Amino acid sequence: MHYPANIPLGESFVPIHFICETLAYFLGYRYYIYLRSKQEDQISDEHRILIFIGAALGGFLGSHILGVLENPQYLKNMGILYFMRNTTIVGGLLGGLIGVELIKKKIGVSLSSGDMMVYPIILAMILGRLGCHFAGLDDGTYGIPSSLPWAIDFGDGITRHPTNLYEIIFWILLWISLYNLEKQYALENGARFKLMLASYLFFRFCIEFIKPDYVFNFGLSVIQLACIAGLLYYYKLFANPSKLLKSYA
């Protein structure tokens, strides 16, 4: 297979990466609308819109800021084009979380607003990472060189860990695990989102060790430091996991 993979269109072509990302946004949102129609939402439409704005703004800023910091040796190249060109999912999720929490505090919403978004986010992530895989070296989500049987040559003659495919497998397993967990236990409000984000941050912290990222002299990357910060935010989840389950009198 040739990377990056594109679909011919006359004398031009359409990148499969673009198609997958478009489907990720579209299908993820449609899936959210479907789930919301099947259950009662205790957050009003007006507040939902404000929360979405907070998530979008926080996600945009977090994604680009952490994306720029991911390679601090290039900060001297800072400019609007460089800022817009660099993004990262970890920054988007953490920035979105911060944006949502700030908006909720401002409008006085104490209920969790993320549970209903978990499965749509997972679907969007699977489609998005599939697009990253087809983008090959252009996307920058590949792993370090590897001689494993499933290592992939993305076009430069070097076989590498297909870390974007590893992430797809992670999201599928997480989807199945959360679904089965909710069939067996009644989760507290917000527990589903906390489990999703904490699991992903832990996964990203681990998989960054096999990605060609810039690391500081103490052996960790900017992404890994952000993951640690996010996991510390959820320290109660690890200190007392039983709090995730509903208790009945």
Side-chain angles (χ1 to χ4, degrees):
M1 181 176 180
H2 176 74
Y3 293 91
N6 304 307
I7 297 177
L9 187 65
E11 296 182 356
S12 187
F13 61 87
V14 178
I16 294 181
H17 189 194
F18 172 77
I19 295 174
C20 288
E21 285 202 341
T22 302
L23 287 174
Y25 286 113
F26 177 76
L27 294 180
Y29 178 72
R30 295 309 305 173
Y31 189 25
Y32 164 76
I33 294 298
Y34 169 77
L35 292 178
R36 192 166 185 237
S37 70
K38 294 296 182 180
Q39 54 188 291
E40 182 181 357
D41 190 356
Q42 299 181 45
I43 298 177
S44 69
D45 290 344
E46 179 184 356
H47 284 167
R48 274 288 176 190
I49 292 173
L50 292 174
I51 289 170
F52 267 124
I53 292 173
L57 182 58
F60 173 82
L61 292 175
S63 175
H64 287 283
I65 291 173
L66 195 60
V68 167
L69 294 177
E70 196 173 358
N71 293 288
Q73 71 274 33
Y74 299 134
L75 285 177
K76 61 183 179 181
N77 300 326
M78 176 60 69
I80 187 62
L81 291 179
Y82 183 75
F83 180 81
M84 293 299 295
R85 193 166 57 243
N86 288 273
T87 61
T88 173
I89 292 295
V90 171
L93 288 173
L94 292 177
L97 174 65
I98 294 171
V100 166
E101 292 303 319
L102 289 176
I103 287 291
K104 285 169 59 178
K105 185 176 182 179
K106 182 71 175 179
I107 63 180
V109 173
S110 58
L111 291 171
S112 170
S113 57
D115 278 352
M116 207 176 295
M117 290 296 300
V118 168
Y119 293 127
I121 286 175
I122 293 177
L123 174 62
M125 289 292 190
I126 292 172
L127 293 170
R129 283 311 190 201
L130 187 61
C132 292
H133 175 74
F134 285 121
L137 296 173
D138 292 348
D139 188 73
T141 58
Y142 50 84
I144 60 176
S146 170
S147 58
L148 290 170
W150 55 82
I152 294 176
D153 177 1
F154 288 102
D156 62 350
I158 301 174
T159 55
R160 306 172 185 273
H161 282 285
T163 47
N164 30 50
L165 296 185
Y166 296 168
E167 187 165 325
I168 290 174
I169 294 171
F170 161 80
W171 284 117
I172 292 173
L173 292 177
L174 180 62
W175 194 337
I176 295 171
S177 298
L178 287 175
Y179 177 78
N180 288 329
L181 181 66
E182 292 188 272
K183 288 179 65 176
Q184 299 180 51
Y185 302 99
L187 299 182
E188 280 286 3
N189 180 256
R192 185 195 298 167
F193 183 83
K194 292 176 183 177
L195 285 169
M196 182 273 291
L197 185 52
S199 298
Y200 182 63
L201 292 175
F202 179 74
F203 167 81
R204 279 300 298 268
F205 176 83
C206 295
I207 204 168
E208 291 300 305
F209 285 111
I210 58 170
K211 294 178 70 175
D213 295 328
Y214 172 91
V215 296
F216 295 105
N217 54 15
F218 49 83
L220 297 179
S221 69
V222 170
I223 295 293
Q224 288 174 312
L225 294 177
C227 289
I228 291 174
L231 290 170
L232 288 175
Y233 178 77
Y234 283 131
Y235 76 95
K236 292 181 180 179
L237 175 67
F238 305 100
N240 194 354
S242 61
K243 292 286 188 180
L244 296 172
L245 306 179
K246 287 184 177 178
S247 58
Y248 299 95

